[in-house]
Amino acid sequence: MLRLRHAPILAVFLGVFVAAPLRSDAQDVVIEPDVVYGHKLGLAMTCDVFTPVEHVNGAAVLFMVSGGWYSHWSPPEQTQHMFKPLTDEGFTVFAVRHGSSPKFSIAEAVADVRRSVRFIRINTEKFQVDPNRIGVFGMSAGGHLSLMLGTASDDGITDSKDPVERVSDRVNAVVAYVAPTDLRIMARDAPDRLPAYQRFPALDIDMIAAEPNSPIVHVTPDDAPTLLLAGAKDDLVPISHSRNIEAAFEEANVESKLIEFENAGHGFGGEDAENATKAMVDWFVTHLTK
């Protein structure tokens, strides 16, 4: 399925409400839970912020809380350890939740995470991060949303009455784990659609509706440097998704890299997970701190 199977540092989050910033048990990160980055239909859209206590490098990394385009709420003090490889390097991490399937569509999830980037950028002084050093990562559906931010962002909606909407939602580095890159071949009318996709309400779309939210169709030379991590034995999001967008990045002269894990499926465990985590952290260190 499109949800995370093995997660040494990644997870689909559940949650509880906490009213004020918390010092983690490890005493190396301050947690600010349930920061509201927007509203829709009377509901708040939120993220959790994990700020290192020492050696803060001023760069922000957003994690897309998404599996199958479901986005859940979880106690941040229980998930902080998952971001430790990043916070240990000084990154401030934002765990971003979007409007969840089946209530909300993929297009609406994309709009939500776009807003999260704009919100963080307009509040960089509050969060003490650099607006020009923002990275994003996620796994599966979260990887898809990360790629949409890397390939299809804009410089802001200049005529919007909302000051947040007038701010750019561009990101400066992307890491995408086992990410769908072409939703057209996953749509309900796709000729070779995999039967497993019927289990995901978010994919109850036709090929025409799928195209605007397919990262591969948006690749242009100004895209963010992108690292792709994929399992050669993935039978849910075949590795061709990553290979095809990597070829598109190469043709457009976008800085990118694809790491294939020969024995991995839709998710990594053991040594593969450790190597993927190291590659992810190194990518952000290279592109957001040097």
Side-chain angles (χ1 to χ4, degrees), residues 13 35 115 122 139 208:
F13 292 156
V35 173
R115 182 177 180 87
I122 204 172
M139 186 171 190
I208 294 174

Side-chain angles (χ1 to χ4, degrees), residues 50-68:
F50 303 83
T51 304
V53 173
E54 298 180 343
H55 311 299
V56 181
N57 65 29
V61 175
L62 282 62
F63 174 63
M64 302 289 98
V65 182
S66 190

